[in-house]
Amino acid sequence: MAHRKLGRANAIANGRPLPAGAQFALGLGVGVLAMGGMLAARWAQRSDLHVCLTSSGLAFVRNVPDGKGGIVRVLQQGGVFQSATYLDERRFYPPFAYLRAFERAFEAETEGFSIRRALMIGGGGFAWPKWTLARHPELKLDVVEVDSAIVRIARRHFFLDELETQCGDRLRTFCADGRAFLDNVAHSSSSRYDLVVNDTFTGANPVRALATAEAARAAKRTLNPGGLYAANVVSHAEGSDVTFLRQAVGALRTVFACIFVVPCADEDFGGEDNYLVVATDHNLTAEGCPLAADAIPFDEDFPLPPLHDA
């Protein structure tokens, strides 16, 4: 599930108090859910707010301003925005910069390597699947989402139903634990992927089971030779705390030859910094790949000892 903290549009995501009206709206949303009945339905319709029960607790679907006079529909859970979509002709275009940054993986395509089959762990509102399947008509994509309620929300409110109709068997959705799915593929004889994308969070917290050295090894075993693993990593303390980023790099360095850390600046939506971390055994630097050229240089002291499975 995607995690992105919207600055101007989402004060609660950045730890700032919401305006009184917004506090009232969220508080009333929880209250009417407990009361149930017609009052909740009528109020939700009036305020463009939908309150949904998921395996991780309450989730809110609501419309917020995008800072440019437009409207973005967001999926909010655990105090942060998990996904978003435009409601007009841009509905297949992801509002968040870090989701668009996943497309940078296609810059690694060469005459001997192309991305034709991909896996995304953490579907959320299916913002990146919508965009990448529209941009790459030959791509086949498997998406793993742990919560079936989130998939239903994506179909009803985030145009997943339209995507499924357009793409047919190019898109397959699995309701499963992401790490378990990764391990099953790694130990099976099924066909491998050219790209694995990890965008998994529980509220504001990354999924630890997908950030260990063992998870990195499983990810590598799911890839074809030269394949890429790409993860969304979020800093904390308004971008000053990159401890988890350093741990993620440390875990991936245990199995991959090349690691690239690319900042994902977001001019439209503020919040804590996101980083695209790409791991591969493909020699991108020698080929002058733009992805490698934009990466942040780091020294041997940057990676921290990797996390391990308990």
Side-chain angles (χ1 to χ4, degrees):
M1 183 180 296
H3 161 67
R4 184 66 172 91
K5 295 188 175 182
L6 290 178
R8 295 189 301 271
N10 186 18
I12 195 172
N14 289 321
R16 301 192 302 273
L18 286 167
Q23 291 178 2
F24 173 77
L26 285 178
L28 184 56
V30 176
V32 296
L33 182 67
M35 294 171 58
M38 186 178 300
L39 178 62
R42 288 179 177 175
W43 185 84
Q45 182 179 16
R46 209 166 46 237
S47 64
D48 292 321
L49 172 69
H50 301 272
V51 185
C52 311
L53 183 62
T54 74
S55 63
S56 299
L58 293 179
F60 300 89
V61 177
R62 60 193 180 98
N63 298 338
V64 300
D66 66 358
K68 295 184 176 181
I71 295 295
V72 173
R73 176 175 292 160
V74 297
L75 172 62
Q76 180 176 343
Q77 192 172 36
V80 296
F81 287 180
Q82 302 285 355
S83 192
T85 184
Y86 292 106
L87 303 179
D88 51 21
E89 67 278 0
R90 299 171 295 169
R91 60 192 177 278
F92 278 27
Y93 181 82
F96 299 160
Y98 87 88
L99 286 169
R100 299 192 296 271
F102 280 135
E103 286 293 292
R104 301 291 302 274
F106 289 87
E107 295 176 356
E109 290 186 320
T110 63
E111 185 175 345
F113 172 74
S114 59
I115 298 174
R116 292 294 178 265
R117 189 165 184 257
L119 167 67
M120 183 176 197
I121 307 174
F126 283 69
W128 184 72
K130 286 188 299 183
W131 198 43
T132 196
L133 286 170
R135 287 168 59 88
H136 306 283
E138 302 301 321
L139 180 68
K140 292 186 176 181
L141 178 64
D142 292 344
V143 179
V144 179
E145 170 55 55
V146 68
D147 194 337
S148 59
I150 294 295
V151 176
R152 291 194 296 271
I153 291 171
R155 288 194 177 110
R156 182 175 181 181
H157 300 290
F158 292 85
F159 306 103
L160 174 56
D161 54 346
E162 181 180 348
L163 179 68
E164 290 173 325
T165 299
Q166 290 186 9
C167 293
D169 60 2
R170 290 177 54 215
L171 171 65
R172 298 191 303 175
T173 301
F174 300 89
C175 288
D177 176 82
R179 175 61 189 276
F181 187 93
L182 202 64
D183 287 340
N184 288 338
V185 174
H187 291 95
S188 71
S189 58
S190 61
S191 58
R192 298 294 189 245
Y193 296 98
D194 305 305
L195 171 65
V196 174
V197 169
N198 175 12
D199 189 20
T200 54
F201 289 83
T202 301
N205 299 314
V207 176
R208 185 185 186 281
L210 284 161
T212 63
E214 292 79 9
R217 284 196 287 272
K220 184 172 180 176
R221 288 196 295 267
T222 67
L223 291 169
N224 287 316
L228 289 85
Y229 175 82
N232 170 37
V233 179
V234 179
S235 61
H236 294 283
E238 298 183 351
S240 63
D241 183 356
V242 293
T243 301
F244 188 75
L245 175 65
R246 297 172 65 193
Q247 290 173 327
V249 172
L252 293 170
R253 285 191 64 175
T254 63
V255 295
F256 288 98
C258 300
I259 311 293
F260 302 96
V261 178
V262 181
C264 302
D266 199 325
E267 296 180 358
D268 295 328
F269 298 100
E272 296 179 358
D273 293 332
N274 289 71
Y275 294 90
L276 173 67
V277 180
V278 177
T280 183
D281 290 331
H282 201 36
N283 190 354
L284 301 182
T285 304
E287 297 160 6
C289 174
L291 177 65
D294 292 343
I296 301 172
F298 56 86
D299 56 28
E300 292 297 322
D301 295 329
F302 179 78
L304 287 176
L307 300 172
H308 288 278
D309 291 347

